[in-house]
Amino acid sequence: MARARGIPQILSLWQPIAGLDPLAALARQLDLLAPNRFPGYCYLCHQTQGERVRVLGWGSLRQLDLSGKGRFEAARAFVQGLQPHVHSAPGSPPASPRSQQERPLCFCRFGFAPNSGGGAALVLPRWQLLQVQGGLTVARLNLEIGPDSDPAALASQIAAFFARMQRLAEAPLPAWKPQPPLEVAVAEEALLARIEKALQAIQAGSLEKVVLAEAVDLALPSPPAIPSLLAYLEAHHPDCSVFAFALESKRDSPPQIFLGASPERLLSVWQGWVQIDALAGSVARGANGHQDRMLAKQLLRSAKDRREHQWVVRSIQEALGRLGMEPRISPQPRLRRLANIQHLQTVIEAELPAGVHLFDLLAQLHPTAAVGGYPQQAALQWLEQVEPFDRASYAAPLGWVDLQGNGELVVGIRSALIEGERARLYAGAGIVADSNPTQEMAEIRLKLQALAQALALQPLRKLPEPDC
């Protein structure tokens, strides 16, 4: 086919491998890297219909920069342009009915704004690992075949890859030991001043809600062991989507790694059916069961939090309406309890119209009122004038999409951008008419501290020297 068309084709081959843990494989691959070489990787652990799915993509076979106003249209064209040139081996790996194991995935990370920095990209990896809870890991190799490729050399490359994956199944899981949490110093006076400005804009009638973010820079004692950090986040935040996205780095510069544990799934599309999370309104967890229940009741009865939540639901409903979709929305929000915080949550479902792609929907949804504000454009313009830093990928969509337009995207909140021994932590809070500035600042500090605790970790042991 490559010869007939005169352009390279991509063959996607898979093999189930027992005992292969994606984070253990990531740790071993990072150990194997030659100096000044970093091919990049993408990792996402999320819940799909009650199952935990962990997927790792390594390297870049095809990549698209996702900046500028036409980034969502470019993402759709990239995926649809790949489809006729990617050929999967016949048969399906062992999987649950809704699993994405039977097809290659592209990983995407957007910036919050069209021209945000931070390495927004859409990537078809050189290989991927996918593990469904309680099942085998499926290793997949995406292999470029050109008109002049040597079949014998390709066969050797395929055999070597799957042999290496079999050996990686013996790699130990990354572990960690707790350390005193890093000190997070919030510039309280400046943050309070921004909250007051937001309240003034709301009182003047130009905004109903705006989501203020804070960025805090930390000096780390050493570059963190990313697989250990991700394993810690999975263990301590099991109800969140844990993610890491690192593009190939320039020579002699440390890679930029965007990671976190997000409680919010932005968008799930499977065979034309859409699910969206509306998450807004927050309160801390209690020190004991009684206090926890009292705080939950307080949140459910809070007029301020219900109003903040309703703006998010309304913004999503309007976005879907612009595409002719009729969403199903539960009349009352429910509680979403996490390790250190609890939220109001509404799950919204709809059927995706024919001809509408996941990225078309994403262009309408982002940013929802949960991370930007309401009305959308007025809030974004206000943030552009007032917020003193680039959000990069904070509060932006990231996740995976397959070549048929199915996908899982989360919101990049409770996150950090790490570069060597430096980290920038991000967190935010929604401001509405009756917000209390002191309480909003305390909420932001609570969110920042959870990730600072993870960044203080050190690996429990050095991994054995790799033998593959």
Side-chain angles (χ1 to χ4, degrees), residues 134-331:
L136 295 173
T137 295
V138 171
R140 180 176 292 276
L141 173 66
N142 297 320
L143 187 67
E144 183 173 286
I145 300 178
D148 301 321
S149 292
D150 178 0
L154 293 171
S156 176
Q157 187 176 343
I158 292 166
F161 169 75
F162 288 113
R164 188 166 83 252
M165 292 299 109
Q166 290 285 356
R167 292 195 297 271
L168 284 175
E170 301 173 4
L173 292 173
W176 61 87
K177 59 181 178 181
Q179 297 286 331
L182 299 172
E183 188 67 29
V184 177
V186 178
E188 295 187 0
E189 187 175 334
L191 179 56
L192 282 172
R194 293 203 301 278
I195 295 173
E196 293 290 355
K197 281 186 178 180
L199 288 170
Q200 291 169 11
I202 291 168
Q203 290 163 5
S206 57
L207 297 172
E208 298 288 351
K209 173 187 177 180
V210 66
V211 181
L212 284 180
E214 177 67 322
V216 174
D217 293 322
L218 291 181
L220 306 177
S222 61
I226 300 300
S228 296
L229 200 161
L230 295 173
Y232 172 90
L233 291 174
E234 285 185 19
H236 287 78
H237 301 275
D239 296 321
C240 291
S241 295
V242 174
F243 60 87
F245 201 118
L247 294 180
E248 181 176 355
S249 64
K250 297 179 181 178
R251 187 174 179 85
D252 298 325
S253 64
Q256 285 193 342
I257 304 163
F258 183 66
L259 58 77
S262 173
E264 186 174 356
R265 176 184 59 186
L266 175 62
L267 176 63
S268 173
V269 175
W270 181 254
Q271 296 181 348
W273 192 248
V274 178
Q275 289 187 329
I276 300 168
D277 278 358
L279 201 72
S282 310
V283 72
R285 298 298 303 267
N288 53 55
H290 173 71
Q291 187 183 50
D292 202 48
R293 289 189 294 273
M294 294 299 294
L295 287 169
K297 288 181 180 179
Q298 174 186 320
L299 177 62
L300 287 168
R301 295 172 180 171
S302 166
K304 176 262 179 187
D305 288 288
R306 294 292 286 265
R307 187 159 47 252
E308 179 185 347
H309 184 82
Q310 192 55 40
W311 289 124
V312 177
V313 174
R314 183 171 174 178
S315 73
I316 294 171
Q317 188 174 16
E318 290 175 353
L320 298 182
R322 290 193 289 271
L323 293 172
M325 301 169 66
E326 298 180 0
R328 300 178 186 176
I329 304 174
S330 55

Side-chain angles (χ1 to χ4, degrees), residues 308-387:
E308 179 185 347
H309 184 82
Q310 192 55 40
W311 289 124
V312 177
V313 174
R314 183 171 174 178
S315 73
I316 294 171
Q317 188 174 16
E318 290 175 353
L320 298 182
R322 290 193 289 271
L323 293 172
M325 301 169 66
E326 298 180 0
R328 300 178 186 176
I329 304 174
S330 55
Q332 298 294 331
R334 64 191 186 191
L335 277 176
R336 176 81 189 280
R337 283 191 166 105
L338 305 173
N340 66 332
I341 198 168
Q342 42 196 331
H343 298 284
L344 296 178
Q345 179 191 41
T346 297
V347 177
I348 299 169
E349 299 180 320
E351 188 174 353
L352 194 67
V356 176
H357 193 272
L358 176 149
F359 287 124
D360 300 329
L361 181 52
L362 190 58
Q364 295 295 326
L365 279 173
H366 176 71
T368 71
V371 293
Y374 190 90
Q376 185 188 69
Q377 290 305 312
L380 292 179
Q381 290 171 6
W382 189 89
L383 287 171
E384 188 176 350
Q385 295 171 359
V386 173
E387 216 160 58

Side-chain angles (χ1 to χ4, degrees), residues 118-134:
L122 179 58
V123 176
L124 175 68
R126 294 190 174 277
W127 54 265
Q128 71 182 50
L129 303 180
L130 194 145
Q131 181 187 61
V132 176
Q133 187 175 17

